[in-house]
């Protein structure tokens, strides 16, 4: 997909040219043609990934034609009512537009390998455009314009050259294409190709740096997604040859990035001035500031909503698509769901990713609509396994720290972009060396090793190895990691590990695990996203009853209540705090802890607040219901005395999509029974011990 500065995008080798209107004046048309010719001539010094000789010939023809157009523009002078050459010039205008599109495609950074493999198609397009120039120019009424003889001769020369110009792929292109196909065949058999051969391919198409490979990967990912959408429109569920080729090329480029170019002009080797620019740009900015509050991942397409908060476009679109008309962060009801691009945040994210070698998994997220699928070709699968084997060996061999760091960066990217890559790395034995690197004194190595383990903890086999070998080290990182981000990755890894019952119990039995999570929840140096991550891990551990008392012993109740008192009533962190307290209040000891510290009064206040979001009220109702179930009449009596409570409960019922309507109905029923019992008309359906003294 080609993206222009205006936001317009098109598929490669598509030419959406615009026909000049019939009423256009000849001078305006000529001015536009001269401008287009100048644009085409700027490609003269650019690197062509295919058909270089043919394009150079065509550009020379355009150079001659530009002289002709300039002369015609001078001779025409002021606009005339009628000029018989407008039709021919309009045709040339369309041809120039298409030729410019083709030149953009063949010189575009990111599309180099793809265009090389499309050499025959490029040749066909260029041949048609060249002949069209000859045809249109032949029909131009030269006699109507008093042109110098040398200009007329130049027109004849351009026409003859265009007619005789036979466009075919360069012989060098064919050799390189054969080499690419040979490398792909080796990938299919899981055989490592000759690095010198790959370097020859890369030099031919102009891929020279690690960053060039990143652009190629992003472009190929967009093309694969576009092809899938085309297949879907045609009700073709099977992968076509084009998708397989693009997938194979993706595997080839990833191999080049990880194995061949990771030491050549790597993103780590930047000059001092560039480093200072990045330091100035990111001073005072935390990584979590770049995360979407909904997905908790780095935003790929940041947009602003009415409240001024920024979200990733895909996440907030799903939020609105689910029927929500509130701001997820503040809970404020929106009068408009219009999304505005946050250009400044997008710029900062791009700078951050380039500075830190982060490859945004844009394409992998787009593919979630099709499921988390494996690569679409044998070559791509083979390349993935070879890459995993190579990177694992880089961690095991006694290389220098920079070699290990580069390998870790690649592993981190791969583990982020799909379950197939995670599976390959686990099979290659990557988990053990990653765990060992957690003890590194280099904070960069420690951070990236922990980030990779976080991603591998989403893989079933990876979970087992990580829990078996590295749980103690992960908990140590959670409490004493060199960087804040590293500690957050450890907290998230514990969340994924806690989804397995045995591992959840192991985490709970570690005396430092739950207190470490609570330190993140209460730490002033951590933002809302970090606190939410830690709370998710705590909630995961609470799925096992054996961990309940451990969370209470870590001081969760007073910590969460203090956090609620400091928080705005509408945010997601508020909802998570209430959800955790509701889980703790499922047991009598949790209920006692909440009530003794004023939790009931606080919950009623939040429930009655007009600023609380529906999600916050849902969890608040859950907490109050559990307090009623365990503390009985004493809690219900407090609710009866507050006249606003009933109205708040009916509001929750009206927002039934949030799942709190049944709990709200149960509370209303308890309140009615309590009131009727006070009048002596009904026997109580529930009674528990008294907790009045604890409030």
């Amino acid at each position: 997909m080609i993206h222009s500065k205006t936001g317009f995008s098109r598929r490669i080798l598509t030419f959406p040219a615009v026909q000049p209107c019939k009423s256009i004046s000849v001078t305006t048309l000529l001015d536009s043609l001269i401008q287009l010719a100048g644009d085409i001539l700027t490609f003269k010094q650019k690197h062509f990934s295919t058909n270089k000789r043919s394009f150079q010939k065509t550009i020379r023809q355009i150079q001659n034609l530009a002289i002709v157009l300039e002369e015609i523009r001078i001779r025409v002078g002021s606009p005339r009512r009628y000029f018989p050459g407008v039709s021919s010039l309009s045709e040339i205008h369309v041809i120039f537009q298409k030729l410019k599109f083709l030149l953009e495609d063949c010189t575009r950074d990111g599309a180099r390998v793809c265009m090389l493999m499309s050499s025959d198609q490029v040749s066909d397009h260029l041949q048609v455009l060249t002949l069209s120039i000859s045809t249109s120019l032949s029909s131009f009424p030269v006699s109507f314009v008093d042109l110098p003889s040398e200009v007329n001769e130049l027109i004849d020369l351009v026409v003859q050259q265009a007619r005789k110009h036979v466009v075919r792929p360069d012989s060098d292109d064919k050799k390189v294409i054969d080499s690419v196909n040979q490398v792909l065949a080796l990938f299919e058999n899981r055989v490592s190709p000759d690095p010198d051969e790959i370097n020859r391919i890369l030099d031919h198409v102009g891929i020279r740096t690690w960053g060039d490979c990143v652009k190629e990967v992003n472009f190929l990912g967009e093309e694969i997604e576009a092809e899938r959408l085309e297949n879907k429109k045609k009700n073709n569920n099977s992968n076509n040859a084009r998708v397989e080729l693009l997938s194979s090329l993706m595997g080839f480029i990833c191999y080049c990035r990880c194995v061949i170019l990771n030491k050549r002009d790597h993103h780590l080797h930047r000059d001092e001035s560039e480093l200072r620019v990045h330091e100035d740009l990111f001073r005072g900015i935390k990584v979590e500031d770049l995360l979407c509050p909904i997905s908790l991942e780095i935003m790929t397409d940041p947009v602003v909503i009415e409240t001024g908060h920024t979200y990733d476009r895909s996440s907030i679109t799903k939020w609105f698509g689910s029927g929500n008309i509130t701001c997820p962060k503040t809970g404020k009801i929106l009068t408009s769901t219009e999304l505005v691009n946050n250009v400044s945040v997008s710029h900062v994210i791009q700078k951050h990713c380039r500075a830190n070698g982060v490859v945004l998994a844009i394409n992998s997220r787009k593919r979630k609509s099709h499921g988390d699928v494996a690569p679409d070709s044998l070559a791509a699968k083979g390349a993935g396994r070879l890459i995993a084997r190579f990177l694992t060996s880089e961690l095991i061999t006694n290389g220098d720290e920079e070699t290990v760091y580069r390998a870790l960066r690649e592993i981190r990217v791969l583990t982020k972009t799909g379950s197939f890559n995670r599976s390959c790395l686990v099979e290659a034995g990557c988990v053990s060396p990653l765990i060992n690197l957690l003890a590194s004194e280099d904070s960069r190595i420690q951070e990236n090793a922990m980030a990779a383990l976080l991603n591998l903890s989403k893989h079933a086999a990876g979970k087992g190895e990580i829990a078996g070998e590295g749980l103690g080290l992960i908990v140590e990182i959670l409490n004493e990691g060199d960087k804040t981000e590293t500690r957050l990755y450890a907290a998230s890894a514990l969340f994924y590990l806690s989804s397995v019952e045995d591992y959840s119990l192991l985490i709970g039995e570690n005396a430092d695990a739950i207190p470490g999570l609570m330190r993140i929840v209460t730490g002033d140096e951590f933002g809302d996203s970090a606190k939410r991550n830690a709370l998710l891990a705590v909630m995961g551990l609470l799925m096992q009853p054996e961990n309940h008392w451990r969370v209470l012993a870590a001081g969760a109740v007073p910590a969460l209540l203090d956090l609620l008192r400091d928080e705005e009533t509408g945010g997601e962190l508020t909802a998570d705090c209430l959800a955790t307290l509701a889980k703790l209040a499922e047991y009598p000891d949790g209920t006692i802890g909440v009530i003794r510290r004023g939790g009931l009064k606080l919950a009623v206040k939040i429930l009655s607040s007009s600023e609380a979001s529906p999600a916050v009220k849902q969890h608040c109702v859950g907490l109050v219901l559990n307090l009623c179930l365990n503390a009985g009449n004493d809690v219900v009596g407090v609710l009866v005395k507050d006249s606003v409570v009933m109205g708040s409960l009916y509001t929750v019922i009206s927002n039934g999509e949030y799942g709190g309507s049944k709990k709200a109905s149960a509370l209303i029923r308890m309140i009615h029974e309590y009131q009727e019992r006070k009048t002596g008309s009904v026997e109580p359906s529930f009674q528990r011990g008294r907790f009045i003294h604890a409030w």
Side-chain angles (χ1 to χ4, degrees), residues 179-194 197 379 382-383 386:
S179 295
V180 172
N181 288 326
Q182 289 170 10
V183 170
L184 296 181
L186 290 173
F187 285 159
E188 290 183 6
N189 295 308
R190 304 186 194 180
V191 177
S192 298
D194 180 5
E197 186 65 25
L386 290 172

Side-chain angles (χ1 to χ4, degrees), residues 211 260 308 346 416 587 617 655:
I260 305 299
S346 180
K416 183 72 174 174
Y587 297 89
K617 289 195 175 186
N655 292 321

Side-chain angles (χ1 to χ4, degrees), residues 329-366:
K329 200 161 186 178
T330 65
K332 178 183 176 183
I333 297 176
L334 305 175
T335 59
S336 169
T337 57
E338 181 183 0
L339 304 178
V340 179
N341 291 330
N342 194 328
V343 179
S344 58
V345 171
S346 180
H347 178 70
V348 171
I349 289 173
Q350 291 171 12
K351 288 284 188 182
H352 165 77
C353 293
R354 281 198 292 269
N356 294 278
V358 175
V359 181
L360 289 179
I362 301 172
N363 303 312
S364 67
R365 275 198 287 276
K366 286 181 179 178

Side-chain angles (χ1 to χ4, degrees), residues 206-338:
I207 297 175
R208 298 181 175 86
T209 68
W210 185 92
D212 291 340
C213 286
V214 172
K215 294 176 184 176
E216 295 282 324
V217 167
N218 290 336
F219 176 83
L220 288 168
E222 290 181 349
E223 281 296 301
I224 290 172
E225 179 62 19
E227 283 292 332
R228 284 208 181 89
L229 289 175
E230 287 292 325
N231 289 343
K232 189 176 181 180
K233 290 177 183 177
K234 298 174 183 176
N235 293 322
N236 179 13
N237 295 323
S238 60
N239 290 326
N240 58 23
R242 174 71 175 170
V243 172
E244 290 186 11
L245 173 62
L246 292 171
S247 183
S248 297
L249 295 179
M250 175 82 84
F252 171 77
I253 291 297
C254 286
Y255 184 89
C256 294
R257 188 190 73 203
C258 297
V259 180
I260 305 299
L261 294 180
N262 69 335
K263 295 181 181 179
R264 193 214 295 185
D265 194 25
H266 195 267
H267 61 284
L268 296 173
H269 303 301
R270 299 187 299 273
D271 58 42
E272 292 294 327
S273 60
E274 186 179 356
L275 286 172
R276 282 195 295 271
V277 169
H278 287 304
E279 287 172 0
D280 292 340
L281 178 65
F282 298 120
R283 186 174 291 118
I285 295 179
K286 299 178 182 179
V287 175
E288 64 184 67
D289 295 330
L290 310 180
L291 305 181
C292 172
I294 298 174
S295 66
L296 299 181
E297 294 184 349
I298 292 181
M299 292 179 281
T300 60
D301 188 7
V303 292
V304 180
I305 65 172
E306 184 182 283
T307 57
H309 291 284
T310 299
Y311 301 90
D312 206 3
R313 183 184 296 275
S314 61
S315 298
I316 193 65
T317 300
K318 288 178 183 176
W319 172 264
F320 290 148
S322 300
N324 304 311
I325 56 170
T326 57
C327 171
K329 200 161 186 178
T330 65
K332 178 183 176 183
I333 297 176
L334 305 175
T335 59
S336 169
T337 57
E338 181 183 0

Side-chain angles (χ1 to χ4, degrees), residues 88-125:
S88 298
L89 294 176
S90 294
E91 291 174 1
I92 294 174
H93 193 280
V94 172
I95 295 166
F96 276 14
Q97 291 179 65
K98 292 181 178 180
L99 181 58
K100 184 181 176 183
F101 284 136
L102 185 60
L103 289 165
E104 287 175 351
D105 291 347
C106 293
T107 57
R108 184 193 190 278
D109 288 340
R112 297 189 180 282
V113 171
C114 186
M115 294 308 301
L116 170 69
M117 303 304 287
S118 303
S119 288
D120 288 335
Q121 209 175 343
V122 171
S123 298
D124 292 341
H125 284 299

Side-chain angles (χ1 to χ4, degrees), residues 488-556:
L488 298 183
Y489 295 144
S492 297
L494 293 180
F495 165 71
Y496 285 107
L497 293 175
S498 68
S499 63
V500 178
E501 180 179 347
D502 290 344
Y503 306 153
S504 180
L505 294 174
L506 284 175
I507 296 169
E509 290 169 1
N510 188 305
D512 297 322
I514 294 174
L517 292 170
M518 290 309 304
R519 273 192 284 275
I520 292 178
V521 173
T522 58
D524 293 335
E525 69 271 29
F526 298 104
D528 285 2
S529 296
K531 295 176 188 291
R532 291 191 65 213
N533 274 346
L535 274 178
L536 284 174
V538 172
M539 283 288 288
L541 295 174
L542 283 172
M543 293 299 106
Q544 301 306 317
E546 293 87 344
N547 288 327
H548 179 86
W549 70 268
R550 297 184 176 112
V551 176
L552 287 176

